[in-house]
Amino acid sequence: MTIGQRIPMRDGRLKVTGQLKFGADLRLPDLLHARLVLSPYAHGRIRAIRTERARAVPGVAAVLTAADLPWFQREPESHARALLAWERVVYYGQPVAVVLAENEAAAADGATQVEVDIDPLPVLIDPLQAMSEDAPWIWPGGRPGVRADAGAHAADIGGSEGGPSARSGNIADRAHYKRGDVTQGFREADLILEFTYRTSSVHQAYIEPHTAAAALDPATETLTLWTSTQDPFGVREEVADFLGWPENRIRVIPTPVGGGFGGKFTLLEPLVAALAVHSRRPVRLTLARQEEFLIGTPAHAAIITLKTGARRDGTLTALQARLIFDAGAFPGAPHRIAAHLLGSFYRFPHYEIEAVEVLTNKPGVGAYRAPGAPQALFALESQMDEMARQLGLDPLEFRLRNAMEEGDELPNGKRYGPIGLRACLEALREHPLWRERRKGPGEGIGLAVGGWHGGLEPAAAMCHVDRDGVVRIYTGAVDLQGTHTAMAQLAATILGVPVEQVRILQGDTDMAPYAGAAGGSKTIYTVGLAVQRAAEEARQQILRIASECLEVAPEDLEIRDGRIYVRGVPEPRMSLGEVAGLSQRFGGKFEPVVGRGSSAQTEQAPGFAAMLVRVRVDPETGHVTVREAVIAQDVGRAINPLLIEGQMHGGAAQGLGWGLWEALRYDENGVALTASFVDYALPIASEVPPIEAHIVEVPSPHGPFGARGVGEPPVVPGAAAVANAIRDALGVRITELPITAERIWNAFTAHLIEETRFQYEFGS
């Protein structure tokens, strides 16, 4: 059985040696290179775009604006459909023109020669200001549609009340969850705490920038796109709808993704498609790094106010929450997911949770690894830690006392199946870092939990067995983090062949069975289940053929190492290839071995993670050093522990980035201040501590072999764990991310001043 084996990622060698070809490496005949011209204002009316000087640059073939492309001559319905501004710009860096040239250098030179005349309009950067009744509307003519990124990560959570009112200005959406009577819950509390937490917008910071190419076939008037995307079928749907074409005229070929983390769904493709149709030549657009920071789709900033109550014995009584998510200029924030998660970890008998999505003059934001969860859990886990400390209780035991379990009701009215939240906490309780809690001077130890309910989407797969015994699995799923390797392990286990004998073939939207987006920790849970069923059907076909040939009942046969055995007989009777060959020859009487599998999961498989960190804080400078990190995660069933640990390490490192370094910043005019890796701080190798990963297995009743999704949960608890460790070290609660040295120094200094004042007035 290959399930549970530590098998390296199949394309890992190609990646580390630089041999894997990405979208930017694509070479097409007669290719035009595109370069964007960006707005220098965050909000303004376009008066003129002068392109004469740009057209005169040698090598420039065309300079196009929305006036040249009718698809953009309307209020945009999404961020991707606003990549050429029409009449008005709504964020700094919004593209207003595109230069097409015979080479990249000419395109870049031409873009510098385009003159843009914009009449500035009032800019809204602060979501609280944007919510006010007298604030100007970002979209006075009506709000755009909603990005599908967050929805592609998680199934519709349902069950919430709310929605935008007829005249809600810049409030794009509201959600509301309620249980019991929060007023009564606070009356029952011995401790009531209220804090407001703020998180920054965070970029996915993938290595490969967005890149897409498109070519029109003049003979058939069909369009082919090559794109670095997590969602090829979603791209086909979006481009077809944008152009007003039937989907059968659009073919999407996904190229290897050089990092996505939720940031690569649909962005450049509608524009590139329009350019190829207009010019009738192949067109490729690859973003420069600055353009990535200006027009990409980062995670949302949030303001979360929590008021909680608890009894002296540590029993929770009430939760009141208000979440404000800054969606940028286009709707699609995961505020509903975040609101739902706030009520999905601990047993609050009374709660009221309200979430609001607000539009501002910033780039449209999208999904980033567990959209909405790092923001919600930073607030909730900071609050839980502070309650435990003020009640004089052990923070881990306090969580265990109140943690939700199988059978508990969620805010949307559904109930948990088997989950591993308690198991993850119990795993950390036994770890020496928590059990002994040894700390040096200026050190603190922090704990936090996180989780993700998991995505849902139908999927299909096919399994074919060749005459040489090779098993081919056909799928439309994009491989981001080794999912093809895990699928090979699933098929190998079911068919009894070495994993090296299994090939995973990823097709394009014309050739592959539907697989949905690679995101939301659902690929193995949904597509993997389809692979499992396809392999099982192929196995049944093989055993039926062998049974007839060997005159033995199918149930008396077994497959090991690619050979078929009669149970109890040590010598193999046939090989898998021989059986397949009988179904693939002239005059053969057996149908070819082709297994078909599909899935349409209706139940989510929530995954949880718990994280411990030990930090050292210099009180004189506020500098934080993370010395040690431990993460325990419930994965259901570890199909490939090696790749799962890689996900856990990467997610934990990104969670530390949320906590200590990362933030997209804008000035009062909406100008981006962090438009390069010089300005945008990321955790570097020397700043990421040793990370110890502990795999917990609480099988899902619906996943293949009990597997759950693993990608999202490990990023969620990191920021809160760091905040709680700093609280343990210095005695101050930091409520804003990232937790910079300046914020720590200011908070600690204020704490010392207040402590000194208190001692002066009241004594020791």
Side-chain angles (χ1 to χ4, degrees):
M1 176 179 282
T2 62
I3 297 295
Q5 291 186 11
R6 302 173 65 87
I7 298 174
M9 192 182 299
R10 290 196 152 196
D11 60 357
R13 181 179 295 275
L14 294 177
K15 288 178 177 176
V16 300
T17 57
Q19 298 179 66
L20 189 64
K21 300 302 181 184
F22 292 89
D25 299 314
L26 184 68
R27 296 292 179 264
L28 295 173
D30 204 27
L31 179 68
L32 288 173
H33 299 264
R35 192 63 180 263
L36 301 174
V37 179
L38 308 182
S39 168
Y41 294 97
H43 192 200
R45 192 164 301 280
I46 300 173
R47 291 194 292 196
I49 301 175
R50 302 180 183 90
T51 63
E52 296 81 7
R53 292 172 56 187
R55 296 175 193 273
V57 173
V60 169
V63 183
L64 303 174
T65 68
D68 303 301
L69 302 170
W71 302 282
F72 292 98
Q73 295 171 16
R74 58 196 180 201
E75 291 281 38
E77 296 167 322
S78 68
H79 181 75
R81 300 187 185 195
L83 284 197
L84 273 185
W86 172 246
E87 296 182 340
R88 195 166 56 97
V89 295
V90 293
Y91 65 90
Y92 176 79
Q94 183 177 4
V96 296
V98 59
V99 177
L100 299 179
E102 305 295 338
N103 56 71
E104 293 181 0
D109 289 344
T112 64
Q113 300 302 312
V114 176
E115 300 176 30
V116 182
D117 186 1
I118 293 178
D119 185 16
L121 294 172
V123 174
L124 290 172
I125 295 300
D126 183 354
L128 297 178
Q129 179 186 357
M131 291 173 64
S132 65
E133 292 185 1
D134 58 349
W137 290 17
I138 304 293
W139 297 101
R143 284 185 300 273
V146 176
R147 287 186 62 85
D149 301 14
H153 270 65
D156 183 9
I157 56 177
S160 72
E161 305 168 5
S165 63
R167 291 185 57 81
S168 50
N170 297 316
I171 296 178
D173 189 50
R174 296 179 184 270
H176 187 235
Y177 293 100
K178 185 177 182 180
R179 174 183 294 163
D181 183 347
V182 291
T183 302
Q184 176 62 30
F186 287 125
R187 279 199 296 264
E188 297 171 359
D190 297 307
L191 172 69
I192 298 175
L193 287 182
E194 184 171 0
F195 286 96
T196 295
Y197 301 90
R198 295 173 179 266
T199 69
S200 295
S201 180
V202 174
H203 198 277
Q204 295 87 349
Y206 27 70
I207 295 176
E208 178 207 32
H210 276 87
T211 184
L216 182 69
D217 185 338
T220 62
E221 288 294 311
T222 58
L223 189 70
T224 300
L225 291 101
W226 296 262
T227 176
S228 173
T229 181
Q230 298 174 230
D231 188 14
F233 291 94
V235 167
R236 181 181 66 178
E237 179 184 0
E238 175 74 5
V239 170
D241 186 64
F242 176 71
L243 295 179
W245 291 12
E247 287 188 12
N248 62 56
R249 289 181 60 191
I250 309 293
R251 179 187 183 190
V252 178
I253 302 175
T255 58
V257 179
F261 310 111
K264 290 182 178 174
F265 278 71
T266 303
L267 183 63
L268 304 183
E269 293 86 357
L271 172 60
V272 173
L275 294 173
V277 172
H278 176 84
S279 65
R280 304 192 72 81
R281 288 180 60 180
V283 174
R284 183 174 69 212
L285 173 59
T286 300
L287 295 186
R289 184 60 60 182
Q290 184 185 45
E291 293 167 339
E292 273 289 352
F293 278 106
L294 296 181
I295 69 174
T297 55
H300 307 67
I303 304 170
I304 301 175
T305 299
L306 294 186
K307 181 180 179 182
T308 52
R311 296 189 179 95
R312 289 187 182 90
D313 64 359
T315 304
L316 298 173
T317 64
L319 164 68
Q320 192 170 42
R322 179 172 171 80
L323 302 84
I324 299 171
F325 270 71
D326 184 349
F330 304 91
H335 56 294
R336 291 176 174 264
I337 297 173
H340 187 262
L341 288 173
L342 281 180
S344 302
F345 279 77
Y346 301 107
R347 297 191 191 98
F348 287 98
H350 307 280
Y351 61 69
E352 187 166 8
I353 305 167
E354 180 189 10
V356 180
E357 177 187 32
V358 184
L359 302 181
T360 59
N361 288 117
K362 295 176 186 172
V365 282
Y368 176 21
R369 203 169 187 170
Q375 299 94 320
L377 271 297
F378 168 63
L380 181 61
E381 286 300 287
S382 296
Q383 192 87 355
M384 290 292 291
D385 188 80
E386 192 63 32
M387 283 193 293
R389 292 180 185 278
Q390 295 201 27
L391 289 168
L393 301 175
D394 180 283
L396 193 150
E397 299 300 332
F398 177 56
R399 287 173 169 83
L400 280 174
R401 180 185 182 96
N402 295 286
M404 296 179 76
E405 300 180 276
E406 182 177 359
D408 283 335
E409 186 178 352
L410 298 168
N412 63 3
K414 296 183 179 180
R415 293 187 181 275
Y416 271 134
I419 58 172
L421 175 56
R422 294 183 64 87
C424 290
L425 283 167
E426 289 165 352
L428 293 189
R429 180 172 59 183
E430 303 306 317
H431 193 277
L433 179 59
W434 185 258
R435 193 174 62 244
E436 300 170 9
R437 282 178 250 192
R438 296 176 181 172
K439 300 181 293 185
E443 290 190 343
I445 295 173
L447 164 75
V449 301
W452 183 249
H453 284 174
L456 299 173
E457 194 165 8
M462 294 180 61
C463 175
H464 185 277
V465 181
D466 291 334
R467 301 160 70 93
D468 57 3
V470 169
V471 176
R472 287 182 284 143
I473 300 293
Y474 295 88
T475 177
V478 173
D479 186 6
L480 294 183
Q481 303 292 343
T483 50
H484 285 185
T485 306
M487 289 177 192
Q489 290 178 258
L490 290 171
T493 297
I494 293 164
L495 289 167
V497 299
V499 70
E500 298 80 13
Q501 208 166 310
V502 180
R503 295 180 61 197
I504 305 294
L505 302 175
Q506 176 188 313
D508 57 57
T509 57
D510 272 7
M511 304 297 293
Y514 182 82
S521 298
K522 70 175 185 295
T523 303
I524 290 300
Y525 187 63
T526 58
V527 185
L529 182 59
V531 168
Q532 176 184 346
R533 290 172 174 171
E536 288 171 345
E537 184 176 298
R539 175 186 172 88
Q540 292 172 3
Q541 296 172 15
I542 290 166
L543 293 179
R544 282 200 299 268
I545 295 173
S547 168
E548 187 170 337
C549 293
L550 299 175
E551 299 182 342
V552 178
E555 57 269 22
D556 291 330
L557 297 175
E558 58 184 357
I559 309 174
R560 300 196 309 270
D561 297 321
R563 295 176 175 84
I564 299 172
Y565 293 78
V566 177
R567 294 185 188 275
V569 178
E571 297 298 324
R573 304 296 298 275
M574 300 180 74
S575 72
L576 208 64
E578 288 173 335
V579 174
L582 292 174
S583 69
Q584 300 175 37
R585 67 183 185 185
F586 183 77
K589 66 176 183 178
F590 299 111
E591 297 176 356
V593 177
V594 180
R596 298 168 179 83
S598 59
S599 71
Q601 297 273 30
T602 58
E603 297 294 331
Q604 292 172 293
F608 293 88
M611 189 171 179
L612 279 174
V613 297
R614 178 170 62 92
V615 306
R616 185 188 181 280
V617 187
D618 184 341
E620 295 185 358
T621 65
H623 178 72
V624 177
T625 303
V626 185
R627 294 290 183 84
E628 187 177 357
V630 182
I631 185 165
Q633 181 176 339
D634 170 30
V635 304
R637 176 72 183 277
I639 304 296
N640 187 322
L642 177 66
L643 301 186
I644 289 172
E645 288 170 3
Q647 290 271 48
M648 294 169 70
H649 284 120
Q654 287 181 310
L656 296 178
W658 272 89
L660 291 172
W661 292 285
E662 298 186 51
L664 291 170
R665 303 183 188 278
Y666 303 86
D667 67 13
E668 65 276 8
N669 296 314
V671 175
L673 303 177
T674 49
S676 74
F677 282 134
V678 174
D679 308 302
Y680 184 84
L682 284 169
I684 60 177
S686 61
E687 293 168 326
V688 177
I691 299 172
E692 186 178 331
H694 290 263
I695 292 176
V696 176
E697 294 183 296
V698 178
S700 161
H702 307 290
F705 291 89
R708 302 177 188 269
V710 301
E712 255 80 7
V715 75
V716 180
V722 168
N724 294 338
I726 292 170
R727 169 68 168 86
D728 188 50
L730 296 183
V732 297
R733 171 64 58 190
I734 309 295
T735 60
E736 185 169 358
L737 298 181
I739 306 174
T740 60
E742 179 183 8
R743 284 177 177 147
I744 292 175
W745 189 90
N746 287 337
F748 188 58
T749 301
H751 172 72
L752 292 179
I753 292 172
E754 181 64 20
E755 191 176 68
T756 302
R757 185 190 66 81
F758 186 88
Q759 291 177 356
Y760 177 78
E761 293 183 2
F762 301 102
S764 175

